[in-house]
Amino acid sequence: MDSLPLSLAATEAPLGVVMRAAVFAGRVHASHRRKGDAQEPYVNHVLEVAEILATHGAPVPAIVAALLHDTVEDSDTDPEPTTLAHIAAAFGEEVAGIVAEVSDDKSLPKETRKALQVRQAPKKSDAAKQLKLADKISNLRAIAASPPRGWDHARRVEYVGWAGRVAAGLRGVNPALDALFDATYRDAMAALAAEA
Ligand code: ZN
């Protein structure tokens, strides 16, 4: 039996891996929807995160991990949950490691997870920092454009502030991404202020 791929570059062309990850994510998220009023297919979110990274010079493993970043967290109640072992087998240990770094421990209460994200952000790898920053950019856009149902103004302002505190620990790896986060944060706060 062939051994599992340890890194992407050694085994296949980057675009092939990226497309394989997009198809994998599309299947895992087939029945998942975003929380916003528009009820968009969930896969739109991971495609957006991957696109942000691809257009801002992030490395291929981070882009592949972006496509897969919510497959473990969001399939835990599915009949056949996706595991980090599945991701390692299909995309290699490096990608699985990045996905593990950006996944929350869902056994912890939500407020604890949010506090941990702030505290642990500076300790992440460069790839995970870029992925988490792109994730927050996508989420801030959604908070302004299509907020989750039932989230009042105060809750959305609190979310944007929290995302800013997480992002503070993710900065310094990719200046273009830092600048995009800052612009998105300003836009989200301005949109919320205009509503008030
Ligand atoms: Zn996400």
Side-chain angles (χ1 to χ4, degrees), residues 73-123:
E73 247 182 67
D74 291 355
S75 71
D76 57 341
T77 58
D78 289 0
E80 285 183 58
T82 302
T83 64
L84 288 171
H86 291 145
I87 291 177
F91 299 99
E93 297 289 349
E94 183 183 12
V95 167
I98 301 168
V99 173
E101 273 194 274
V102 303
S103 296
D104 279 355
D105 179 351
K106 276 191 140 180
S107 67
L108 298 171
K110 192 171 177 128
E111 287 311 310
T112 307
R113 283 190 270 146
K114 286 181 76 177
L116 276 176
Q117 283 205 33
V118 175
R119 211 173 331 135
Q120 293 176 343
K123 302 174 198 156

Side-chain angles (χ1 to χ4, degrees), residues 103-173:
S103 296
D104 279 355
D105 179 351
K106 276 191 140 180
S107 67
L108 298 171
K110 192 171 177 128
E111 287 311 310
T112 307
R113 283 190 270 146
K114 286 181 76 177
L116 276 176
Q117 283 205 33
V118 175
R119 211 173 331 135
Q120 293 176 343
K123 302 174 198 156
K124 302 282 179 195
S125 68
D126 285 358
K129 282 180 176 171
Q130 292 176 80
L131 169 39
K132 283 191 75 74
L133 205 49
D135 191 30
K136 293 289 179 275
I137 290 166
S138 169
N139 288 338
L140 288 190
R141 287 175 179 169
I143 286 288
S146 177
R149 275 188 192 152
W151 282 37
D152 63 15
H153 188 261
R155 185 165 177 192
R156 286 185 285 143
V157 170
E158 195 282 326
Y159 181 92
V160 175
W162 167 74
R165 291 194 296 282
V166 178
L170 304 169
R171 316 178 66 86
V173 178

Side-chain angles (χ1 to χ4, degrees), residues 42 45 49 69-70 135 139:
Y42 197 84
H45 164 64
V49 175
H69 81 275
D70 283 327
D135 191 30
N139 288 338

